[in-house]
Amino acid sequence: MAERFAELLAHDGVIRGLIGPRETPRLWERHLMNCAVLGEAIPSGVTVCDIGSGAGLPGLVLALARPDLEVCLVEPLLRRTTFLDEAVDALGLDNVEVVRGRAEELHGTREFTVVTSRAVAPLGRLADWSMPLVREGGHLVAMKGSSAHEEIDAARTTLQRLGAGVVEVLSLGIGRIDPPTTVVRVEATRPSRLRWNPSTSRGSAGPGSTGSNRSRRPRSRKKGPPS
């Protein structure tokens, strides 16, 4: 199944502009394995939301590597959700839901044990979009690079406001991939009760936003996981 997904990325993913053609020779080490090891930071049998999922990295890869997880892929752009829907059908996955929308549109209506992301935004903005979706005791698990510690320092005020508990930097896949995957894991210490108010978000909407303040109702797969 992972090999089939790699083929989809290398063909349809490139044609549709979801992944650069220069990335195809290094799909496995730079993208698939890099995302698959994220499972080391996620407990068994929980719900996962991947915001700004794009081509399904890391969310769809997690669903392949960890069939015990219920994964919701949140992506605002139609051409990307179309690809994700087609990939889910082609791979026969029954543990994946695809939602077209911005993360903020789910605030106050959905919550998950883990919220993931990859190359979406600096940690401060990412926390504003992600933490309201994390249930109490759950975690934000964001894939980051060498600037992870600097991003944490810059986001401390925001993290405190959002009720963050333990914040840590983890290296995943040691001995399996080189270099290891760096993630920031943020504990949620209070219930996710925040709601997004579109009228206060002009010009600062979520990943992939066009800047519109008009909320769109998310389009979901019927066979997806419960909230």
Side-chain angles (χ1 to χ4, degrees):
M1 291 172 70
E3 289 175 349
R4 174 61 179 142
F5 182 50
E7 292 172 358
L8 289 172
L9 286 175
H11 186 262
D12 290 1
V14 172
I15 291 174
R16 300 184 189 189
L18 304 183
I19 192 166
R22 294 183 179 179
E23 296 301 309
T24 55
R26 51 184 184 176
L27 273 177
W28 284 96
E29 64 270 24
R30 185 177 176 85
H31 299 287
L32 298 178
M33 288 302 298
N34 180 255
C35 292
V37 297
L38 198 63
E40 295 179 12
I42 299 176
S44 299
V46 301
T47 56
V48 177
C49 177
D50 181 36
I51 70 167
S53 195
L57 305 170
L60 208 155
V61 177
L62 275 175
L64 287 169
R66 293 281 305 276
D68 60 296
L69 303 176
E70 297 290 343
V71 181
C72 178
L73 310 178
V74 178
E75 169 57 49
L77 297 184
L78 177 60
R79 64 186 175 90
R80 294 176 180 172
T81 55
T82 299
F83 171 81
L84 292 173
D85 274 322
E86 292 173 358
V88 169
D89 289 339
L91 297 169
L93 294 171
D94 60 4
N95 63 330
V96 179
E97 174 189 12
V98 177
V99 173
R100 184 186 172 202
R102 292 176 288 183
E104 300 96 319
E105 295 174 59
L106 303 184
H107 289 182
T109 63
R110 300 286 299 269
E111 65 176 14
F112 306 85
T113 306
V114 175
V115 175
T116 65
S117 59
R118 182 183 193 236
V120 169
L123 185 60
R125 275 187 288 155
L126 186 63
D128 269 326
W129 299 332
S130 302
M131 291 298 285
L133 297 174
V134 183
R135 62 169 46 102
E136 185 176 9
H139 292 85
L140 161 64
V141 180
M143 297 178 68
K144 291 293 181 181
S146 59
S147 63
H149 290 283
E150 289 80 1
E151 289 195 38
I152 291 172
D153 289 339
R156 287 198 184 279
T157 301
T158 299
L159 293 173
Q160 183 177 18
R161 169 172 57 81
L162 294 170
V166 176
V167 181
E168 54 190 340
V169 177
L170 306 177
S171 293
L172 308 178
I174 295 175
R176 301 170 63 191
I177 58 173
D178 185 23
T181 297
T182 299
V183 303
V184 174
R185 186 166 64 181
V186 182
E187 179 188 21
T189 61
R190 66 187 186 210
S192 54
R193 295 289 184 259
L194 296 178
R195 287 184 178 271
W196 176 51
N197 181 356
S199 65
T200 64
S201 301
R202 186 178 303 274
S204 59
S209 167
T210 59
S212 171
N213 290 312
R214 182 170 60 85
S215 176
R216 297 191 304 274
R217 185 177 181 82
R219 178 174 60 82
S220 305
R221 294 178 61 86
K222 292 181 180 179
K223 66 180 180 180
S227 61

